[in-house]
Amino acid sequence: MGETETALVKFGGSVITDKRKSLTFLSGNVLSLSSEIFSFMRGGRERRVVIVHGGGSFGHIKAKSYSIAGGLKRTGQLRGYAEVRSDMRNLNGRIVSSLLDSGVSAIAVQAESIVSFSGRRVIAEDFSMVDRALEHGLVPVTFGDAVFDNSLYFTIISGDVLMESLCRHLKPDVAVFCTDVDGVYDRNPSKNRNARLLDRLDRSTVVETTASSRPDVTGEMEGKLSVLFNIAENSGRALVINGRISGRLYAALSGKNPRGTRVLPD
Ligand code: ADP
């Protein structure tokens, strides 16, 4: 590890919003995560942080009802595409404000300025905005979004896929996924009272990921699992923790092992 320490952090949609109720921002959770980012950055002059956030109930509900992820099929969807983009910018504005209020010099970076799409696949990446922000200690904050797609006209990019691209580029010392459960369980803990938290996870671990009853167009834990292993390959440490419980993000960032799941490389 060099002199600079880089952290890549995902604020899951399940932490920053109530995923069941449209446009419900959980300001207390966001403020608490923001102040933990601030405490981490204050601990060392060369600490770089990049944040990705999900959409939660600012993204998934309308993205689902207008079927945005599958691309343009009827003109009625265009209104939905425009609304999801507007709602996501509203959510991002609140998160950036919360970070600023906590002393973190956060700046919004659009997903589209980092990745380009065709057929729901990333076809090009450009990290110049992120790198430019990091040069002088700004904290780029990007987010899952409704985006243009070269062949489908539009689609949805998840925060988890952005994490994967950023991780390959940044090779962070630590990558942390903050979600609303304590980590990855052997079964969906929202549906199985006996689900067991996995403190370590590798490709051979058997994980069941039945969907919850709330809308999510990017696959919940199932979608995350496919990116987690690539992230573990490209980061010093990769963890999934509960972002609703204060103190765990700070502990994860500062090299401790809070309750959660450590994802191991191959
Ligand atoms: P976020 O919005 O924070 O990215 P998601 O809602 O996409 O998080 O994913 C977290 C949810 O995944 C949990 O609330 C849980 O209901 C669901 N889930 C399904 N299977 C599992 C599992 N095996 N372990 C942990 N969570 C799971």
Side-chain angles (χ1 to χ4, degrees):
M1 274 180 223
E3 286 166 16
T4 356
E5 209 180 324
T6 306
L8 178 62
V9 180
K10 162 102 189 281
F11 290 180
S14 64
V15 180
I16 59 179
T17 78
D18 178 340
K19 281 181 112 160
R20 290 174 204 274
K21 291 189 219 131
S22 202
L23 310 178
T24 39
F25 182 62
L26 300 181
S27 56
N29 290 348
V30 178
L31 210 51
S32 164
L33 293 175
S34 301
S35 65
E36 290 178 45
I37 298 273
F38 175 75
S39 304
F40 169 70
M41 291 188 80
R42 200 177 42 179
R45 211 159 50 89
E46 299 296 331
R47 289 187 168 170
R48 312 191 304 171
V49 177
V50 176
I51 297 171
V52 176
H53 67 77
S57 63
F58 285 68
H60 293 277
I61 296 175
K62 281 182 193 163
K64 189 171 185 187
S65 63
Y66 284 95
S67 308
I68 304 300
L72 179 65
K73 299 200 172 92
R74 49 189 168 79
T75 52
Q77 291 173 286
L78 291 164
R79 172 82 197 181
Y81 176 59
E83 285 187 18
V84 173
R85 289 185 65 110
S86 165
D87 292 343
M88 284 307 303
R89 275 144 196 79
N90 181 352
L91 173 63
N92 175 253
R94 294 194 202 193
I95 288 168
V96 168
S97 296
S98 169
L99 286 157
L100 288 169
D101 289 346
S102 304
V104 177
S105 297
I107 63 158
V109 176
Q110 312 262 334
E112 277 170 331
S113 72
I114 305 174
V115 279
S116 310
F117 282 90
S118 185
R120 283 195 91 170
R121 288 177 188 280
V122 175
I123 52 160
E125 296 174 322
D126 175 356
F127 298 101
S128 53
M129 275 278 284
V130 173
D131 292 341
R132 178 68 59 86
L134 289 173
E135 254 170 57
H136 290 291
L138 292 170
V139 173
V141 184
T142 189
F143 50 100
D145 202 1
V147 293
F148 285 111
D149 180 295
N150 288 356
S151 58
L152 299 170
Y153 188 65
F154 53 53
T155 189
I156 295 287
I157 176 172
S158 74
D160 296 330
V161 167
L162 283 168
M163 285 288 283
E164 197 176 9
S165 282
L166 284 163
C167 203
R168 265 197 306 266
H169 172 66
L170 296 168
K171 306 264 188 298
D173 297 277
V174 58
V176 186
F177 286 77
C178 301
T179 183
D180 67 337
V181 287
D182 280 356
V184 183
Y185 287 71
D186 61 346
R187 288 166 282 177
N188 185 347
S190 318
K191 294 195 144 186
N192 302 280
R193 288 180 61 184
N194 298 327
R196 193 171 52 84
L197 178 68
L198 305 165
D199 42 66
R200 279 162 180 262
L201 176 71
D202 63 33
R203 272 189 218 271
S204 68
T205 318
V206 180
V207 180
E208 213 183 276
T209 54
T210 43
S212 303
S213 49
R214 57 195 191 191
D216 188 296
V217 292
T218 51
E220 287 193 322
M221 198 51 80
E222 177 76 37
K224 241 179 278 303
L225 280 180
S226 59
V227 306
L228 279 174
F229 297 111
N230 291 335
I231 283 175
E233 294 297 329
N234 289 297
S235 56
R237 287 182 307 128
L239 298 110
V240 182
I241 58 161
N242 193 330
R244 289 182 174 232
I245 298 178
S246 56
R248 292 199 183 162
L249 174 60
Y250 180 75
L253 292 174
S254 38
K256 313 228 168 58
N257 281 322
R259 181 172 166 82
T261 301
R262 173 99 184 254
V263 187
L264 303 173
D266 287 334

